[in-house]
Amino acid sequence: MAVETAPSSTTAGVVATPQANATCKINMISINRFSECEWVTLRLKVIRVINGVPRQVGTATFTARHTMTLHSKSADWDEKFQLSKASTTGEGKGITVSVNATAGNGTTAKTHYSPHLLDTASSGSVTYTTGAMRKGRVNAKTQTRYRFEYTKVGYVPGSTTYPSATWRCDNYYGTSGCAMTDQPTAVSMVGIPWIDDGIRTLRARGGHYGDPNGGKPLHWMINTKQKNDNRRAVCGGRTAPPEMKRVGRTYCDEYPFASTYEGGKKLPAPQRETTWVSPNENNTQGARITNWRRPMHVMDNDPFFVIA
């Protein structure tokens, strides 16, 4: 059986908490930082060999809907999926479907689904288990791959495969968890006065990187040498002017952050800024970022926005 899979697309948005669930629309992958809903249409061309010649003798069309929710504090999780009753033409009835999901990069997937006729709706689940990770460990990004196989006695068998959204598990901070890596989250600088003001001033004159209101996301970077190079490029050798020293604003703070792939002088001057802040503000910012990254499992090259 020849198979056509309707194209999928991905929605995006800003997610600041791990509790929210993705909503599902047909022929789309809708994701947030910790959940995915994937809903695809599968169209089968039913083929039978007649006098030695393969001929299409019918069709069967059904939808597969997957929902999975990852966990901030666990690297094990479950997925549920539902297959609709197939709409058929010609000799499209009587097709048996089997489903198998596979994972990788330290995570195994076990599919719970018995072969089922597409003449009625059915459902199944997938159990994901991730091996123990030492503190500091970040597993490589991966995807679930789904394989559907179709059989009917006397007809040509068929199959199709498609992936989930990209996800990754880690134990970077000492708590194992997993996240949808391509979905941006957001860190807030609101309440850190001069840092917040510097970012808002930049945006007022056209700086859009990291802006959740239509800007491009920043991307976190885990590379100490490059972070230091980025910082030196914009703040190295600079001394706070007298008027800043008098009010205790002696620390040069850069945006985009040095620990991003957009940091340093990677962006043109109109898209970056420096602000003189107090050491206390700088420490507050560092704690704010750590307390955001830890539960959101933000790792190298993950996209994010900055609320200001």
Side-chain angles (χ1 to χ4, degrees), residues 29-103:
I29 302 177
S30 180
I31 62 174
N32 64 31
R33 191 65 183 172
F34 288 89
S35 64
E36 174 206 50
C37 186
E38 183 171 4
W39 197 352
V40 296
T41 300
L42 298 143
R43 301 183 179 92
L44 284 63
K45 296 177 181 179
V46 182
I47 298 173
R48 182 156 56 94
V49 177
I50 302 173
N51 298 325
V53 180
R55 298 186 183 277
Q56 182 177 335
V57 294
T59 64
T61 302
F62 69 100
T63 61
R65 179 172 174 167
H66 306 262
T67 56
M68 70 165 75
T69 300
L70 309 182
H71 302 297
S72 175
K73 296 182 179 180
S74 174
D76 301 335
W77 73 95
D78 297 322
E79 171 190 347
K80 298 184 184 301
F81 62 87
Q82 298 85 36
L83 308 185
S84 70
K85 175 183 176 180
S87 173
T88 62
T89 63
E91 300 173 30
K93 292 187 180 297
I95 298 171
T96 298
V97 61
S98 62
V99 182
N100 186 50
T102 57

Side-chain angles (χ1 to χ4, degrees), residues 8-293:
S8 298
S9 61
T10 301
T11 61
V14 177
V15 180
T17 60
Q19 289 79 19
N21 291 320
T23 56
C24 216
K25 294 183 179 180
I26 195 164
N27 296 332
M28 295 187 72
I29 302 177
S30 180
I31 62 174
N32 64 31
R33 191 65 183 172
F34 288 89
S35 64
E36 174 206 50
C37 186
E38 183 171 4
W39 197 352
V40 296
T41 300
L42 298 143
R43 301 183 179 92
L44 284 63
K45 296 177 181 179
V46 182
I47 298 173
R48 182 156 56 94
V49 177
I50 302 173
N51 298 325
V53 180
R55 298 186 183 277
Q56 182 177 335
V57 294
T59 64
T61 302
F62 69 100
T63 61
R65 179 172 174 167
H66 306 262
T67 56
M68 70 165 75
T69 300
L70 309 182
H71 302 297
S72 175
K73 296 182 179 180
S74 174
D76 301 335
W77 73 95
D78 297 322
E79 171 190 347
K80 298 184 184 301
F81 62 87
Q82 298 85 36
L83 308 185
S84 70
K85 175 183 176 180
S87 173
T88 62
T89 63
E91 300 173 30
K93 292 187 180 297
I95 298 171
T96 298
V97 61
S98 62
V99 182
N100 186 50
T102 57
N105 294 339
T107 301
T108 59
K110 183 177 181 180
T111 309
H112 307 279
Y113 183 83
S114 299
H116 195 92
L117 285 175
L118 285 174
D119 299 339
T120 59
S122 60
S123 62
S125 63
V126 183
T127 302
Y128 294 86
T129 305
T130 304
M133 295 177 284
R134 58 173 173 75
K135 183 177 180 180
R137 172 73 181 179
V138 180
N139 287 351
K141 296 179 181 180
T142 188
Q143 295 171 297
T144 304
R145 294 208 63 87
Y146 306 103
R147 180 176 179 84
F148 288 63
E149 295 186 346
Y150 314 98
T151 57
K152 182 178 178 180
V153 176
Y155 294 75
V156 177
S159 65
T160 189
T161 61
Y162 57 88
S164 71
T166 302
W167 48 266
R168 179 203 55 232
C169 298
D170 74 88
N171 186 23
Y172 189 80
Y173 281 107
T175 301
S176 294
C178 308
M180 298 289 179
T181 63
D182 296 337
Q183 180 63 16
T185 179
V187 60
S188 175
M189 294 294 108
V190 174
I192 309 178
W194 297 117
I195 291 174
D196 184 34
D197 182 71
I199 297 171
R200 286 187 287 108
T201 299
L202 172 66
R203 290 175 179 172
R205 63 173 187 258
H208 59 79
Y209 279 84
D211 188 347
N213 298 307
K216 295 182 179 180
L218 298 173
H219 296 82
W220 193 256
M221 180 186 67
I222 302 177
N223 183 323
T224 300
K225 180 182 181 302
Q226 186 59 54
K227 177 187 73 173
N228 293 337
D229 289 345
N230 286 348
R231 179 157 179 76
R232 280 192 295 269
V234 292
C235 286
R238 297 180 62 188
T239 302
E243 64 272 20
M244 293 291 105
K245 289 182 179 179
R246 281 195 295 270
V247 293
R249 295 168 60 182
T250 58
Y251 189 90
C252 177
D253 182 81
E254 73 286 344
Y255 183 89
F257 308 139
S259 292
T260 65
Y261 280 93
E262 294 78 14
K265 293 187 176 179
K266 303 295 190 306
L267 300 180
Q271 294 296 324
R272 49 187 167 85
E273 62 87 25
T274 58
T275 302
W276 292 103
V277 305
S278 67
N280 182 61
E281 274 206 14
N282 179 62
N283 293 336
T284 300
Q285 180 190 54
R288 182 83 60 90
I289 288 174
T290 298
N291 290 334
W292 154 70
R293 284 190 59 207

